[in-house]
Amino acid sequence: MDFSSAAATATVRPRRRTAIFWASAVCAAALIAVPAWMLVANPAVLGGHPLLPGLLIAAAVVGICWAVLLWRRRDTPRPRSLVRAIGAWAGRIAVLALVAALAWLNPFAYQPGAAAEAGPKSDLIVTETNTTITMTPDGGRAPTKGLVFYPGARVDARAYQDILSPAVGAGVRVVILKEPLGLSLLDANQARSAMADNPDITTWAVGGHSLGGVAASSFAQGNADVTGLVLYASYPLDSLRGRSGLKVLSVSGTKDGLSTPAKIDASLELLPADTEFTAVQGGVHAYFGDYGAQPGDGDPGISREAAQEQIAAATVAFLGQLQG
C-alpha cells in the first residue's frame, strides 16, 4: 500500500475561491433577485408594456444559468492572462450596471385616489390590451373625438385613468398608452397605432404628462390629422409655432419641482400664440396622475383632489372646443 499517496489524497482541500468567482456570484444573484423583486412586488410591471417583463425574465434566466455554471465549475482552476482578467472584471461591472438600469426602470405603480375609492364609473367602458388602456363613453351617441395620452416616464398607465375619466364622461374616447420600458421617446409614434385601432374617431388630440408630453408634441408636429395637444406639466423640445391647425392646452403646477414654472414660461416661445395656459396654484408634478410622490418634486400647496379637479376641468373644456 502506498501510504504517501493516501496521505497526499487525505490532505487535498477545496480550491480557494478567487475574487472573480465571488464577483460572478454577486452578478448571478443580482440578475435573479432584482427581476424577481420587480415582477413580484410591483403590479405595474406585469400590467404594463410587455417589453420590460420580457427583459426581466430573460435577465433572471441568464442569472440562473450563470449560477448553475459557477456551481459546477467551483473547484476547477481557470487561469487568466492579465488581458482576460481585465475583460472579465469589465464584463461583470457591465452586468451590475445593467441590473441597476433594470431597477431604475421599476415603474411608479398606480395608487388609487379618492375618485377610484368612490367606486367604478358607470358612464364609461374600460378595455385593456398589452399596449393600451381605452376608456369609452357608455351609452348615448358614439364618440367622434378621441385623445391619445402618453404617460410620464416610468409611470403606470393606469395612474391616469381617474384624472382623464371626466373627459370620457364628456363624450371623448381616451386611449392611454403603455409605453415600452415606460419611456415614451422609445416609440414617440405609438399614438398612430392607437388611432388606427379607432377608425370611428374623426377628431383627434394627443397629450401627455412630463416626458410623455414631449413625445405627444413631437407626434402632433408631424401629423396633420391631430387637431389638439394637451400638455400636463410638459413642453415641446421643438417649436410648434409653424404648425397650423393645432390648438394647445398647457396645464402646470406652480409648485412643480421638475417641470418648474420657469421651464413652462420658457415654452411660451415654442407653442402657438393662442395656446391656453392653466396654472394650478400649489400643484406639483405628481398631481397629474395617481402614483404617489415623486423624487425631486416640490412641496404641494393644495390637495391632490382639488388640483386634479382643476386639471380635469381644463381638459374637458379644451377638448370640447376642438372641431373636426
Side-chain angles (χ1 to χ4, degrees):
M1 181 175 181
D2 190 346
F3 290 100
S4 61
S5 297
T9 302
T11 57
V12 171
R13 298 179 180 178
R15 185 172 65 88
R16 185 176 181 182
R17 308 286 184 262
T18 63
I20 196 71
F21 173 88
W22 291 115
S24 299
V26 169
C27 288
L31 283 170
I32 298 170
V34 170
W37 161 66
M38 291 173 63
L39 288 165
V40 173
N42 192 343
V45 174
L46 290 176
H49 192 284
L51 180 57
L52 179 57
L55 287 177
L56 293 175
I57 293 171
V61 169
V62 171
I64 292 171
C65 294
W66 196 352
V68 171
L69 187 62
L70 279 175
W71 177 256
R72 288 182 175 178
R73 295 184 176 180
R74 64 190 184 280
D75 293 323
T76 303
R78 297 193 66 192
R80 288 185 173 87
S81 66
L82 178 60
V83 173
R84 290 187 62 190
I86 294 174
W89 279 106
R92 282 146 184 80
I93 292 172
V95 168
L96 292 177
L98 171 64
V99 173
L102 290 175
W104 180 81
L105 289 171
N106 196 33
F108 295 98
Y110 171 46
Q111 297 183 22
E117 293 172 357
K121 299 284 186 179
S122 59
D123 57 349
L124 58 86
I125 301 171
V126 180
T127 56
E128 187 169 347
T129 69
N130 287 336
T131 56
T132 60
I133 297 173
T134 301
M135 301 189 295
T136 300
D138 186 15
R141 292 194 312 169
T144 59
K145 293 181 181 180
L147 169 67
V148 182
F149 192 85
Y150 291 80
R154 300 182 296 133
V155 178
D156 188 348
R158 292 172 296 176
Y160 299 94
Q161 289 183 112
D162 298 334
I163 199 169
L164 293 174
S165 289
V168 183
V172 178
R173 181 175 298 162
V174 173
V175 182
I176 307 172
L177 301 176
K178 297 180 179 180
E179 301 158 338
L181 302 184
L183 301 173
S184 58
L185 294 183
L186 292 180
D187 187 6
N189 203 45
Q190 192 179 358
R192 177 53 60 190
S193 60
M195 294 167 64
D197 290 339
N198 295 272
D200 55 324
I201 301 299
T202 57
T203 302
W204 280 106
V206 294
H209 173 216
S210 193
L211 186 65
V214 176
S217 299
S218 176
F219 184 83
Q221 186 176 43
N223 292 271
D225 53 347
V226 173
T227 59
L229 173 63
V230 179
L231 299 175
Y232 283 177
S234 185
Y235 41 85
L237 294 181
D238 299 316
S239 177
L240 294 173
R241 283 286 172 119
R243 170 61 162 84
S244 61
L246 181 68
K247 291 186 175 298
V248 181
L249 169 68
S250 173
V251 189
S252 59
T254 61
K255 294 292 186 178
D256 194 325
L258 299 171
S259 296
T260 62
K263 293 179 180 178
I264 298 299
D265 289 343
S267 71
L268 285 169
E269 298 179 355
L270 300 175
L271 295 171
D274 60 350
T275 296
E276 297 181 24
F277 288 89
T278 298
V280 179
Q281 298 299 317
V284 295
H285 203 75
Y287 277 4
F288 289 87
D290 292 306
Y291 57 93
Q294 187 167 355
D297 205 356
D299 296 323
I302 190 175
S303 70
R304 180 181 294 271
E305 292 75 19
Q308 291 189 345
E309 286 180 4
Q310 295 182 45
I311 297 167
T315 304
V316 169
F318 174 77
L319 295 174
Q321 301 171 16
L322 297 183
Q323 302 295 324

